[in-house]
Amino acid sequence: MPKRQEPSPVKKVSDEFAHFRGGLENAIEQARSRGFDKLSIVDVDAHQMEPFALFTKYLKDPFKKKYARLMPKLDPDVEWYRSYHFADGRIKRSDISYPRPQSPEEIVREFSDLMVKIGIKKSIVLPNQMLSLGHNPFATTSKKSIETQSRQETKEWYEFEVAVANAYIDYMLDNFLGKYPEILTMIYAPANSPEAAADLIDRVGKEKGVAGIMVTPIRPTLAGSNDWNPIYEAAQKKGLSISFHAEGYHGDYLKGFKKYMPAHALSFPYYLAIQLTSIVTEGVPERFPNVKFAFLEGGVSWIPWIMQRLDSLYWMRGAVEAPMLARPPSEYIKRFYFSSQPLDKPNNAWELEYVFRVFNAEEQLMYSSDYPHWDFDLPSTIYNLPFLSDSAKEKILGKNANNVYRLN
Amino acid sequence: MGEVSEFDELVPKIIILDEARIFVYLYRGKFYAYADKCPHQGGPACEGDVRGRVIGSVNKNSLYFESVSKDQYSIVCPWHGVEYDLQSGMCRTDRRMRLRSYEVIVSGKDVLLKK
């Protein structure tokens, strides 16, 4: 197929308005006209482009010397973001420096001021580059897949994930948590090393501003395995929820896609569905009944699909292969929580209403923006839905998050 | 809006009308005016770039290929990349969405916007 030739922008908005390109002024106006300040809106999934150069000072022995040199390799490829992620520069974030690494001062400005102006009172700010640590931390230094890595490489990769996870939360504690009530985060659980993840949860699980525990789904192990028990035990002990945060992964069979859209459409719900399936079929909700689970950034349309798919197999094979389950899989999934973004946009409102009814979205769905990622959603994506009552909107926009995360 | 000679092709001029910002574009001798509010999530659509429309075609050997048009342009919302046809304001991917348009009248040298 001939390569598409993309020209640079044809003409730009006249210079006198050059400062006014793609900012959030319209979102501020939406918040004002809809009275968002009267609602307690919580965003359960926003992002920062974490500055790894500032992390190295939080690395502790025995990792310090070994991994300080690798830290900068996690920094974003800004050109890749602009050309691929931002559709050849069509998408703009003029209010902030993303996709470049963001300073602590900028994060404070963004989440304690800008997001508050668009109606969001509290943001759970998650990392960006670290989302790929579970499967491919040395992407810039090695082209090897998980399967072809040597035992030594795998050991280093697991250690590195633990080191970065610890440095991340210490960076967040030092700069934001407990200092700015609008900014919260989650512990990044280095789930390839469950004992070390549990140690980290034990160490910082009670700190102010730590809202919960986040796990990325794309990694060599499945969350229903007994190997993961230390993470669930630690979460249960500290009373923290576990959130699986989806990823835009363009590896494995998705490598064949040369464009962003198809890989993006599939990878987010697909890898969430894998870990959800593992948790449910291995009976984790029965084994750890006090741990709340959330699934972030998969949208909502995959939820009826995975419910019906698992239920239909459970009727036939569940007695043999899912004996821990006292009820069909969908009954467990209805007790999980989900974030709203990227909210699906079917052709008819009733299609979305149906999906909301299937998993009782009024109680189980939590608004998320995913800002500043390219497909962010404003609070109006929930507020404007014609089929939700005022009380359902209030729950989805903030109250439900209070049931899942520690927001103080 | 000013005089015709003050407009450059595809470079919008912006006016405020009843607190709404309206972008006026000149393209091949015709004027087009749109409110800069994206019907998707309310983004400032007209603050985005004007880009050539991407077109998918099949060549004589039945091979699919894509190219960028040199005579059809899109206004691209900078928030999420939703594209609108410069000459109609129609959303390229959802025919039910369009930018709010205004009538532009040329009277002698003057470009006027009908309220």
Side-chain angles (χ1 to χ4, degrees):
Chain A
M1 190 168 72
K3 206 171 176 243
R4 185 168 75 202
Q5 295 296 312
E6 280 284 335
S8 54
V10 180
K11 293 279 169 91
K12 301 204 175 212
V13 176
S14 3
D15 282 340
E16 65 265 33
F17 286 92
H19 65 286
F20 208 171
R21 293 165 53 75
L24 289 175
E25 286 78 9
N26 288 12
I28 295 168
E29 173 51 32
Q30 276 182 28
R32 199 165 41 228
S33 63
R34 288 164 174 79
F36 286 167
D37 60 329
K38 292 182 192 72
L39 300 167
S40 292
I41 299 180
V42 178
D43 177 357
V44 303
D45 176 23
H47 290 274
Q48 60 175 319
M49 188 58 90
E50 62 274 38
F52 289 103
L54 301 183
F55 279 30
T56 47
K57 79 174 197 187
Y58 300 101
L59 286 174
K60 295 194 171 52
D61 286 329
F63 304 119
K64 199 166 182 110
K65 268 191 200 149
K66 199 170 174 185
Y67 293 121
R69 73 191 157 80
L70 279 175
M71 276 292 204
K73 294 187 189 298
L74 290 176
D75 279 339
D77 177 346
V78 173
E79 269 321 298
W80 179 89
Y81 269 89
R82 288 209 175 119
S83 62
Y84 196 52
H85 198 72
F86 279 180
D88 191 30
R90 285 168 165 82
I91 292 165
K92 302 167 199 305
R93 296 286 174 265
S94 56
D95 291 311
I96 53 172
S97 62
Y98 172 87
R100 290 192 294 278
Q102 294 177 281
S103 68
E105 295 75 26
E106 186 182 339
I107 293 302
V108 170
R109 233 178 11 253
E110 187 178 334
F111 292 102
S112 295
D113 182 40
L114 186 61
M115 290 297 110
V116 173
K117 282 181 184 152
I118 72 165
I120 295 169
K121 291 219 167 53
K122 284 177 188 284
S123 299
I124 300 181
V125 182
L126 301 175
N128 187 96
Q129 296 297 93
M130 284 170 62
L131 298 178
S132 65
L133 272 176
H135 56 88
N136 197 8
F138 302 124
T140 53
T141 56
S142 164
K143 296 287 177 211
K144 289 181 182 174
S145 68
I146 292 168
E147 290 76 18
T148 56
Q149 279 180 150
S150 69
R151 193 171 294 177
Q152 181 59 24
E153 280 174 316
T154 304
K155 184 172 173 283
E156 286 191 355
W157 155 29
Y158 286 13
E159 273 181 12
F160 187 58
E161 188 188 28
V162 172
V164 178
N166 277 273
Y168 171 73
I169 203 70
D170 289 336
Y171 166 76
M172 293 300 288
L173 285 165
D174 214 9
N175 288 284
F176 313 104
L177 307 183
K179 297 178 179 161
Y180 300 95
E182 305 85 7
I183 302 177
L184 304 125
T185 195
M186 296 190 212
I187 297 165
Y188 172 98
N192 291 339
S193 311
E195 294 285 355
D199 288 346
L200 175 57
I201 295 164
D202 275 341
R203 178 167 78 81
V204 297
K206 288 287 182 201
E207 294 285 352
K208 216 166 181 193
V210 171
I213 299 158
M214 181 193 74
V215 192
T216 52
I218 308 176
R219 48 181 71 251
T221 59
L222 289 171
S225 146
N226 278 327
D227 293 343
W228 284 53
N229 288 353
I231 298 175
Y232 303 132
E233 282 158 7
Q236 196 156 254
K237 196 168 118 197
K238 296 288 177 190
L240 293 173
S241 61
I242 294 181
S243 299
F244 286 85
H245 185 292
E247 291 172 64
Y249 182 58
H250 298 197
D252 296 343
Y253 290 105
L254 303 177
K255 262 187 206 147
F257 292 116
K258 298 299 176 213
K259 293 172 187 165
Y260 189 90
M261 187 181 88
H264 189 85
L266 292 171
S267 72
F268 281 74
Y270 175 64
Y271 290 99
L272 283 182
I274 289 174
Q275 294 296 15
L276 178 145
T277 299
S278 178
I279 288 172
V280 171
T281 55
E282 298 298 327
V284 174
E286 289 288 348
R287 296 192 276 127
F288 300 95
N290 299 325
V291 178
K292 289 176 178 166
F293 289 97
F295 294 82
L296 310 183
E297 211 180 334
V300 294
S301 56
W302 65 287
I303 304 167
W305 166 68
I306 195 67
M307 277 184 175
Q308 293 179 24
R309 187 81 185 140
L310 289 177
D311 276 4
S312 57
L313 281 151
Y314 175 76
W315 301 126
M316 295 180 281
R317 305 180 66 96
V320 177
E321 291 184 305
M324 270 301 284
L325 304 196
R327 294 179 290 281
S330 63
E331 295 299 315
Y332 296 94
I333 297 169
K334 280 179 194 166
R335 284 157 49 192
F336 294 163
Y337 294 85
F338 300 87
S339 73
S340 60
Q341 185 278 343
L343 191 67
D344 302 271
K345 186 183 173 299
N347 282 330
N348 303 295
W350 66 260
E351 294 175 52
L352 194 60
E353 186 180 5
Y354 151 77
V355 174
F356 273 45
R357 283 175 62 184
V358 167
F359 76 97
N360 194 15
E362 181 168 343
E363 307 294 335
Q364 309 300 122
L365 186 64
M366 303 177 288
Y367 163 71
S368 60
S369 76
D370 199 37
Y371 191 79
H373 288 170
W374 76 274
D375 51 351
F376 74 95
D377 279 344
L378 292 175
S380 58
T381 52
I382 297 298
Y383 188 86
N384 292 355
L385 289 174
F387 53 80
L388 290 180
S389 66
D390 287 349
S391 102
K393 288 176 188 176
E394 254 181 83
K395 286 180 192 171
I396 295 169
L397 284 167
K399 284 186 178 167
N400 291 345
N402 265 300
N403 296 334
V404 182
Y405 299 111
R406 231 181 42 214
L407 298 176
N408 53 22
Chain B
M1 289 297 307
E3 296 191 358
V4 174
S5 60
E6 291 169 16
F7 278 80
D8 289 327
E9 279 241 314
L10 299 174
V11 182
K13 282 177 82 74
I14 304 155
I15 65 157
I16 313 285
L17 187 69
D18 295 340
E19 294 186 2
R21 293 192 313 144
I22 297 163
F23 283 53
V24 183
Y25 301 81
L26 168 65
Y27 178 54
R28 293 189 172 172
K30 278 194 164 180
F31 288 92
Y32 305 92
Y34 301 108
D36 80 327
K37 192 165 276 187
C38 180
H40 169 227
Q41 284 198 35
C46 300
E47 284 180 17
D49 293 338
V50 175
R51 300 276 189 121
R53 179 185 185 179
V54 180
I55 294 175
S57 316
V58 178
N59 72 9
K60 61 183 178 188
N61 297 321
S62 302
L63 295 175
Y64 171 70
F65 71 100
E66 292 169 3
S67 57
V68 178
S69 171
K70 290 189 171 58
D71 54 17
Q72 294 182 59
Y73 288 94
S74 302
I75 296 166
V76 187
C77 180
W79 275 9
H80 301 93
V82 178
E83 301 212 354
Y84 298 89
D85 179 61
L86 176 76
Q87 288 163 285
S88 67
M90 293 288 288
C91 177
R92 295 225 182 271
T93 44
D94 186 341
R95 304 292 289 174
R96 295 168 304 181
M97 298 203 315
R98 64 186 308 156
L99 295 175
R100 185 178 171 190
S101 60
Y102 294 82
E103 194 178 338
V104 182
I105 299 163
V106 179
S107 171
K109 283 195 237 169
D110 296 325
V111 181
L112 306 169
L113 192 69
K114 193 168 178 182
K115 204 172 167 182

